[in-house]
Amino acid sequence: MSDLDLDPVLGVGHKSVPPALWGRRASEVAAERRPVDEFATPLLVFDRAASDANVATLTAWAAERGLGLAPHGKTTMAPELWRRLLDAGCWGVTVATPWQAQVARAAGVDRILLANEVVDPVGATWLAAELDAHPDAELVCWVDSPESVAALAATAGERPIDVLVELGDTGGRTGARGVGAALAVADAVAAEPRLRLRGATGYEGSYGADRSPATTDRVRGYLAALAGFAGALLDAHDIPEPIVTAGGSTWFDLVAEELGSLGGRAHVILRSGAFQAHDDVFYTRTAALPFEPALTVFARVVSRPEPGLALLDAGKRDVPSDLDLPVVLQTASGRPVPGARVTALNDQHARVELPAGAELAVGEVVLLGVSHPCTAFDRWRLIPEVEHAREPDPRVVGFLPTVF
């Protein structure tokens, strides 16, 4: 029985929803297509049209190359957005923790890649019990050491736990360091009746986040090693329905190039997740396909205390800043604000530097674009969904509950 409420009664726990709408179901309000300017600022909105276009773009691109998709659900932690990915033909959903896997199962997701080593006994016990209770569910997690193998092997249950062996490299995150070490972990898995070896995995994003030639070569070199490891693993072990997976949201094109040749021997799955929302800064610089930003923040000028300075009502509690500061796009009326630049965020304020003579009045609403969508969603328990957020008079057509 799921306790996820995906059509909540609006209330004080939903930031920026006006009190006039409290006590009503989200779906009821969405059907009325209310204008965004009826909501309080700051306000993060999700552009349905932009996101749908992004999903169509990547699913078509992957299908042309014979690749599966299990987009990373931790980006949004929004079960409705996961459903849209599955409806679009994605193989499954990726998560990063046992708790996120529990949310995905509660939301009805049957195929899950748990992209982490599960050594917490509570998480491992749940995983084993969930597999026994639901024979049709497919949950696959990572191992990268004898210790991580032993933690899963210590569980009780009838159905073996599916695992992928993770290959890492110097300076990276998790993953056995080197092909020899990874093959030894695979041998340990094969010797454990509680586990079932399903293939190889890795994460190339640890090895570079820009598109410079040197970084591209570094990432490509890691992926070539992962492909070599996967091939050796498939040669050494009889693996049922083998999986080879990698692919963050920056380097999925290189993953396709380096791992694509394994398609005849294994199901190659990309785990890119940020594409569904995209952004205006980091992924706009680095993604290999022309996705559209689906996140926009509406923020209001609360003070113009000095010439060349404006303070907005959106801060660190509302917008991400872990990779880049937000960028000023335009006013809500569509007027450009050339030269306007966010220079700092406080908890509840954005500091905007303005060129001399800039027209930006107290009370005026400014549209901001964000960087790194993964850290935008977790600031909002309920996100209004619009169509064409950056066009005049956007209307709220839905609400996206998040689970953080």
Side-chain angles (χ1 to χ4, degrees):
M1 178 71 68
S2 170
D3 60 358
L4 297 178
D5 186 359
L6 302 184
D7 186 17
V9 173
L10 302 179
V12 69
H14 301 124
K15 183 166 56 174
S16 300
V17 172
L21 299 179
W22 294 354
R24 301 180 62 194
R25 285 283 175 189
S27 58
E28 178 188 359
V29 172
E32 297 170 353
R33 298 180 62 90
R34 290 175 173 266
V36 164
D37 62 15
E38 289 187 7
F39 288 71
T41 56
L43 181 69
L44 177 74
V45 302
F46 185 85
D47 191 317
R48 181 184 294 179
S51 178
D52 287 351
N54 294 342
V55 172
T57 294
L58 190 60
T59 53
W61 183 91
E64 289 172 359
R65 291 156 178 79
L67 305 173
L69 288 172
H72 216 314
K74 73 174 174 61
T75 297
T76 67
M77 288 304 293
E80 167 61 20
L81 295 183
W82 299 345
R83 182 193 63 77
R84 293 180 195 175
L85 291 169
L86 297 173
D87 287 349
C90 291
W91 176 88
V93 170
T94 297
V95 296
T97 69
W99 172 73
Q100 291 174 2
Q102 291 160 13
V103 175
R105 289 293 296 138
V109 180
D110 290 328
R111 278 181 172 163
I112 298 171
L113 296 180
L114 204 173
N116 212 336
E117 285 69 23
V118 180
V119 298
D120 167 36
V122 175
T125 298
W126 170 82
L127 182 61
E130 186 73 7
L131 289 169
D132 279 355
H134 300 280
D136 294 334
E138 188 168 359
L139 289 85
V140 186
C141 64
W142 289 193
V143 290
D144 70 353
S145 66
E147 293 80 5
S148 60
V149 171
L152 292 174
T155 59
E158 297 296 323
R159 188 176 167 197
I161 297 172
D162 286 354
V163 299
L164 302 179
V165 177
E166 183 183 13
L167 177 72
D169 201 358
T170 303
R173 199 164 60 189
T174 51
R177 296 309 197 242
V179 171
L183 287 171
V185 173
D187 291 342
V189 171
E192 286 288 356
R194 282 291 297 131
L195 306 183
R196 185 170 72 148
L197 183 62
R198 288 292 303 277
T201 183
Y203 175 56
E204 76 289 345
S206 293
Y207 308 104
D210 63 72
R211 287 275 174 172
S212 68
T215 300
T216 300
D217 288 346
R218 173 73 174 100
V219 171
R220 191 182 291 278
Y222 166 74
L223 290 169
L226 177 59
F229 163 57
L233 186 68
L234 293 167
D235 289 341
H237 294 274
D238 182 15
I239 300 175
E241 302 174 284
I243 291 170
V244 178
T245 176
S249 296
T250 294
W251 299 106
F252 56 84
D253 55 327
L254 265 63
V255 173
E257 292 173 15
E258 295 297 327
L259 302 187
S261 62
L262 294 164
R265 306 184 65 191
H267 191 189
V268 180
I269 300 175
L270 301 178
R271 305 194 303 273
S272 312
F275 75 94
Q276 193 174 17
H278 200 49
D279 69 10
D280 280 283
V281 190
F282 179 75
Y283 288 116
T284 290
R285 290 194 304 255
T286 62
L289 290 173
F291 300 123
E292 300 179 34
L295 295 175
T296 302
V297 176
F298 288 68
R300 195 175 305 272
V301 180
V302 296
S303 182
R304 286 293 312 270
E306 302 169 11
L309 175 63
L311 281 302
L312 310 181
D313 62 0
K316 293 178 182 178
R317 304 294 179 92
D318 313 298
V319 296
S321 59
D322 57 319
L323 294 184
D324 305 277
L325 291 169
V327 293
V328 177
L329 302 171
Q330 62 189 49
T331 67
S333 65
R335 190 180 80 252
V337 191
R341 185 170 66 94
V342 177
T343 59
L345 291 179
N346 305 126
D347 280 358
Q348 311 291 173
H349 294 89
R351 188 179 182 93
V352 179
E353 181 182 276
L354 297 169
E359 298 180 11
L360 199 58
V362 170
E364 196 163 10
V365 174
V366 173
L367 272 55
L368 302 176
V370 303
S371 183
H372 198 202
C374 295
T375 50
F377 284 89
D378 62 1
R379 287 158 169 78
W380 296 81
R381 294 174 61 187
L382 189 70
I383 301 173
E385 189 173 22
V386 304
E387 290 181 342
H388 310 297
R390 301 176 187 185
E391 295 181 4
D393 192 30
R395 301 284 172 141
V396 173
V397 297
F399 290 90
L400 298 172
T402 64
V403 186
F404 284 102

